[in-house]
Amino acid sequence: MSIGQGCSRTADRVSLTHRAWVEVDLEAIRHNIATIRRLLKPSTQLMSVVKADGYGHGAVAVARTALSAGASWLAVATVEEGISLRMAGIEAPILLFGPVICTEEIDALAEHRLQPTVCSLDQARRFSEAGLGPIPIHLKVDTGMSRLGVSWHEAQDLLSAIRVLPDVSVVSLYSHLATADAVDPTTAMEQFTRFAKLVDTLQRQGRRPPLVHLANSAATLTFPDTHFDLVRIGLAQYGLYPSSHLQAVVALRPALALKAKIVFVKTVPPGTGVSYGHTFRTARRTRLATVSIGYGDGISRALSNGIDFLVRGRRARQVGTITMDQCLIDITDVPEASDGDVATLLGQDGGERISIAEWAARLETIPYEILTALSPRLPRIFCQA
Ligand SMILES: *Cc1c(COP(=O)(O)O)cnc(C)c1O
């Protein structure tokens, strides 16, 4: 399998001024969307979730790729994120996950045809009273996440109250799962049951909104019953798994690689203290390479002395404290490495690969946080096949 090798020739395209960068393999995203689509009924729509700059991959490029690969909806978290998609000329319907509460945001949202999430009558009234023409709204129901949404007990009453308001129309009813990535399905099934009952009731009453949706990536991969009319796909389209047990379900291709240049190489004697605080001391005569990336680029300082980089297809240990703009690796065992070489922090080089899951385990966090921490200082370089 050629997992994650799509960007093999991009090194040629990296400008000489780039000291560190993110490579995004759009072909991998296309593959992932197509792979996920095959798990869905033909009538089920796919919403590409591109909040937080497309989980750090670049929202506009991801959105365009996803739409051309079979997604029909986009989702963002903020009005600004939605506007930047519209500014790029993207015409697909865009759902805004976050609540919108101030008037300026409502004006901007209507102007740019972003479709808001509504959790209360009060919020719905604000859109109605803005008098900006019929605004399509998405009613969010809390079935157990306890974050946003009207409680599932009160959803029917809220729907009735919103129905009589002018200038708003409920185009979807949705909820979000708190534990879809867990091995134990009990809690997710409980949320599913609450949601499905509500949908059934509305259906019998003839007032089921046109779209009903519940599944995120994890639920899409594991609970086909949760697919309803549309699935909201974030992490999986980027080729990553919300949890490692989901790897068995489909073969996704990670789209993102993180690379930086070696800018200086020197040999130091045994016993040499390395970087701030001398948290590493050489045990042998060591070839040290300075790599031009640091925590100012969004790689956590907590990874210091705990990860490998790939150089010329081999692993080289990162040593000493990671600094703001630079860090060090031990290339004693990669004797042909020299300054100007590209070091791969995440992604593939030759037969070796370093996964985001490896970093996530090290940092006791989830891939989502690692991706969205990658700083805007890192240029995003896109490659098609
Ligand atoms: C972020 C988000 C998603 C996507 O979640 P993934 O686990 O990345 O697929 C779906 N729905 C809502 C409401 C979200 O906030």
Side-chain angles (χ1 to χ4, degrees), residues 49 51 55 97 140 147 174 176 216-218 232-236 242 368:
V49 179
K51 60 194 181 191
Y55 293 41
F97 284 148
K140 180 123 192 223
R147 185 177 61 176
Y174 81 104
H176 192 45
N216 54 8
S217 293
R232 305 187 302 267
I233 303 295
L235 198 70
Y368 302 77

XYZ file of all heavy atoms in Angstrom, residues 49 51 55 97 140 147 174 176 216-218 232-236 242 368, ligand 1:
170
model
N -16.126 18.557 7.327
C -15.933 19.488 8.446
C -14.546 20.128 8.321
O -13.528 19.434 8.420
C -16.096 18.761 9.798
C -15.878 19.736 10.950
C -17.474 18.118 9.894
N -13.564 23.097 10.018
C -13.306 24.085 11.077
C -11.812 24.084 11.420
O -11.099 23.127 11.077
C -14.151 23.762 12.313
C -13.875 22.386 12.915
C -14.946 21.967 13.921
C -14.634 20.611 14.524
N -15.771 20.078 15.298
N -8.749 21.479 10.158
C -7.906 20.728 11.091
C -6.413 20.947 10.757
O -5.601 20.030 10.759
C -8.223 19.229 11.048
C -9.596 18.823 11.568
C -10.729 19.557 11.296
C -9.744 17.655 12.321
C -11.973 19.169 11.764
C -10.993 17.251 12.800
C -12.103 18.025 12.506
O -13.343 17.631 12.968
N -21.330 25.437 13.177
C -21.580 24.646 14.391
C -21.778 25.524 15.619
O -22.533 25.201 16.518
C -20.400 23.719 14.679
C -20.309 22.502 13.794
C -19.065 21.969 13.458
C -21.445 21.855 13.333
C -18.965 20.828 12.683
C -21.355 20.716 12.550
C -20.105 20.198 12.219
N -30.263 22.185 16.996
C -29.364 21.249 17.661
C -30.009 20.722 18.933
O -30.480 21.487 19.780
C -28.041 21.942 17.998
C -27.061 21.021 18.692
C -25.772 20.920 17.945
C -24.889 19.810 18.443
N -23.489 20.227 18.542
N -23.282 19.882 25.786
C -22.525 21.072 25.394
C -23.472 22.096 24.769
O -23.874 23.043 25.410
C -21.385 20.682 24.449
C -20.458 21.813 24.076
C -19.297 21.371 23.206
N -19.711 20.795 21.934
C -18.879 20.409 20.969
N -17.578 20.505 21.144
N -19.332 19.913 19.850
N -30.244 18.109 14.429
C -29.043 17.300 14.630
C -28.608 17.237 16.076
O -29.045 18.007 16.919
C -27.925 17.749 13.689
C -27.089 18.963 14.065
C -25.794 18.800 14.567
C -27.553 20.255 13.857
C -24.986 19.897 14.846
C -26.744 21.361 14.132
C -25.459 21.174 14.627
O -24.680 22.265 14.889
N -25.033 15.557 18.624
C -23.608 15.203 18.563
C -23.309 14.165 19.643
O -23.802 14.273 20.767
C -22.775 16.474 18.780
C -21.323 16.329 18.468
N -20.847 15.702 17.331
C -20.222 16.750 19.149
C -19.516 15.747 17.330
N -19.113 16.370 18.425
N -20.522 11.684 13.634
C -19.199 12.247 13.347
C -18.377 11.126 12.686
O -18.936 10.078 12.330
C -18.545 12.764 14.634
C -18.488 11.691 15.729
O -18.809 10.520 15.494
N -18.095 12.083 16.929
N -17.064 11.322 12.557
C -16.248 10.286 11.892
C -16.384 8.934 12.572
O -16.609 7.914 11.916
C -14.764 10.674 11.897
O -14.544 11.798 11.102
N -16.222 8.910 13.898
C -16.203 7.629 14.612
C -17.519 6.882 14.436
O -17.531 5.681 14.143
C -15.910 7.861 16.094
N -21.321 13.856 9.304
C -20.410 15.001 9.451
C -18.995 14.462 9.654
O -18.651 13.979 10.737
C -20.834 15.858 10.649
C -22.293 16.331 10.580
C -22.606 17.315 11.700
N -22.364 16.787 13.032
C -23.279 16.191 13.797
N -24.527 16.054 13.377
N -22.958 15.743 14.993
N -18.177 14.576 8.594
C -16.868 13.932 8.615
C -15.749 14.945 8.799
O -15.507 15.789 7.933
C -16.616 13.152 7.300
C -17.721 12.113 7.069
C -15.237 12.503 7.317
C -17.765 11.000 8.095
N -15.074 14.863 9.929
C -13.897 15.685 10.158
C -12.654 14.824 10.044
O -12.145 14.546 8.955
N -12.182 14.353 11.173
C -10.873 13.681 11.242
C -10.647 12.602 10.176
O -9.552 12.512 9.613
C -10.688 13.064 12.637
C -9.231 12.728 12.977
C -8.417 14.001 13.179
C -9.136 11.861 14.225
N -11.652 11.812 9.893
C -11.448 10.690 8.963
C -11.107 11.166 7.553
O -10.361 10.499 6.837
C -12.683 9.783 8.941
N -10.219 8.571 14.885
C -10.502 9.152 16.202
C -9.994 8.259 17.326
O -9.711 8.731 18.425
C -12.036 9.243 16.228
C -12.446 9.239 14.787
C -11.435 8.406 14.070
N -6.477 15.431 16.965
C -7.128 16.714 16.695
C -6.300 17.878 17.253
O -6.144 18.916 16.621
C -8.501 16.786 17.378
C -9.498 15.724 17.018
C -9.409 14.435 17.538
C -10.574 16.013 16.191
C -10.354 13.464 17.238
C -11.531 15.040 15.886
C -11.412 13.774 16.410
O -12.340 12.832 16.108
C -16.026 18.754 14.889
C -17.388 18.196 14.758
C -17.626 17.071 13.941
C -16.524 16.280 13.277
O -15.941 15.409 14.208
P -14.841 14.328 13.748
O -14.653 13.483 14.944
O -13.627 15.111 13.397
O -15.426 13.622 12.578
C -18.930 16.688 13.757
N -19.959 17.328 14.368
C -19.761 18.385 15.180
C -20.918 19.046 15.827
C -18.466 18.853 15.412
O -18.275 19.902 16.227
